Amino acid sequence: MAKKRPQTKAKRPQITNEEIPVVGAREPCPCGSGRRYKACHGRAAAHAVTELVHRPFEGLPSECDWVALRELVPAATVELPLKGGLPEGVPSVTLATVLPMAWPALRRDDGSVLLGLQNDTASGDISRDLADTLQRALTAEPGTPVEGRRAPADGPRLQDLLDPEGVFEPVVHSGFEFWVPDSENATPEVTASLERANAAAIPTAKLTGVDSAYWCETPDKNHLRWVMPHPEEQLLDALARLHAEGRSNLGEGTRLVGSFRAHGLTVPVWDLPSGVGAEDIEKPAAEFAERFAAALASDAPLTADERRARGGLTNRQVTLS
């Protein structure tokens, strides 16, 4: 009998993850596995762009102010320093809470870049989406807005683009006039958008004596919202200690009413009488900061009164993002 010739299998070329192109979800995966892309290499890519990053601004200078500008402050700007300096032809990069027409970014006629912070993002990582928008804005034609899109799953984050040693100093504005250097020559669309934005903006001011605390004025009462970087459990314990002692307020007529979570941080909120302005609350806030630091340093078990106070604070807590 003739001997059977041994069969040999052709070696499939090895392809690294970095070499796998993006194709249609139902198309065969380019890696050669025989499975559809969505069930093979597309699964990891889809997970990367939908997984929620709870603290997208962690590692950036002034993380608390990033959260405040994203969630609390209507009109503010911050100059952003880039790693390695600004590209040629880009005199400045400015973060803005909101841009006209809700543009994600804008390259002005002079080449400067405005990056919008409060826009909806396409993935679960705000930092990656903003970094993608910023990169495209740096190379956009002067005088053009940048449209939103889903950022590549392996794209850089803000932490990769911004100078980690840079200063982050928000400038809070009473309106959105910073949109248009020459308002007289603004288009009717931009002018109308500016008028609508100014009408809806709540008067807001950043306190100067403590970090990341923002006063705002509403028709019925004023508020202080203070973004804090401390771990949530320790922060709530400290607030409970002060609340049980009757020392959690910021002066006569003020009241700690609860807190909310935003982008992985906790934001205590105080109600203030309508006549209390930002300047009036500076000294009480600084005094509270000292009391809070002492309470935060305590590791003693909570008393029964403190546990009840903590339960009340926890029951009034909500999550924004």
Side-chain angles (χ1 to χ4, degrees):
M1 293 178 64
K3 293 183 179 180
K4 291 184 178 180
R5 182 175 298 172
Q7 296 180 349
T8 58
K9 293 183 179 180
K11 291 185 177 181
R12 184 176 294 164
Q14 297 297 311
I15 304 176
T16 65
N17 288 342
E18 290 76 13
E19 296 172 335
I20 302 295
V22 176
V23 298
R26 295 181 177 275
E27 295 181 38
C29 187
C31 75
S33 66
R35 292 182 293 174
R36 291 178 177 178
Y37 178 71
K38 70 175 183 178
C40 192
H41 280 82
R43 178 179 298 170
H47 178 73
V49 298
T50 56
E51 183 180 13
L52 178 63
V53 177
H54 291 281
R55 286 183 63 178
F57 308 117
E58 185 177 14
L60 291 173
S62 302
E63 178 189 7
C64 294
D65 284 311
W66 277 91
V67 173
L69 266 57
R70 169 76 182 184
E71 298 296 339
L72 307 178
V73 184
T77 55
V78 188
E79 294 296 314
L80 296 181
L82 305 186
K83 286 183 179 179
L86 296 169
E88 184 178 356
V90 180
S92 64
V93 173
T94 303
L95 181 73
T97 48
V98 180
L99 293 180
M101 315 300 291
W103 289 325
L106 172 66
R107 182 91 185 270
R108 281 178 161 164
D109 292 333
D110 65 354
S112 60
V113 168
L114 289 176
L115 177 66
L117 179 58
Q118 294 182 7
N119 298 81
D120 292 334
T121 55
S123 79
D125 187 353
I126 298 171
S127 178
R128 195 179 307 280
D129 288 334
L130 288 171
D132 177 69
T133 301
L134 174 57
Q135 282 191 315
R136 291 185 291 123
L138 292 172
T139 58
E141 289 294 324
T144 60
V146 175
E147 300 295 335
R149 73 171 188 182
R150 183 183 290 274
D154 59 350
R157 307 177 73 236
L158 287 174
Q159 290 82 344
D160 302 315
L161 302 183
L162 302 183
D163 183 355
E165 304 299 325
V167 176
F168 191 87
E169 295 182 346
V171 177
V172 178
H173 304 275
S174 59
F176 296 88
E177 282 72 22
F178 63 86
W179 282 355
V180 281
D182 184 7
S183 58
E184 293 182 358
N185 295 322
T187 65
E189 293 82 3
V190 170
T191 299
S193 182
L194 176 62
E195 292 175 352
R196 289 194 301 270
N198 282 343
I202 296 175
T204 302
K206 185 179 188 298
L207 299 195
T208 59
V210 295
D211 293 333
S212 310
Y214 291 81
W215 168 94
C216 69
E217 179 183 19
T218 61
D220 296 328
K221 63 185 69 174
N222 299 343
H223 305 279
L224 184 73
R225 298 174 290 185
W226 195 336
V227 188
M228 295 186 172
H230 316 290
E232 181 179 356
E233 296 303 312
Q234 297 177 24
L235 185 150
L236 290 175
D237 282 353
L239 291 178
R241 295 180 197 278
L242 296 176
H243 204 59
E245 296 173 357
R247 299 197 301 152
S248 64
N249 60 36
L250 299 175
E252 185 178 356
T254 69
R255 185 168 66 99
L256 174 65
V257 293
S259 64
F260 60 88
R261 303 182 189 92
H263 307 293
L265 300 183
T266 304
V267 188
V269 180
W270 285 262
D271 279 352
L272 313 174
S274 57
V276 174
E279 300 82 2
D280 302 320
I281 211 68
E282 287 279 6
K283 183 178 178 181
E287 293 171 346
F288 174 85
E290 294 181 2
R291 299 196 300 272
F292 177 76
L296 195 67
S298 174
D299 58 1
L302 296 181
T303 66
D305 288 342
E306 290 168 348
R307 288 196 300 271
R308 283 192 290 271
R310 193 186 195 283
L313 292 172
T314 304
N315 290 337
R316 297 194 295 272
Q317 192 175 47
V318 297
T319 301
L320 292 187
S321 53

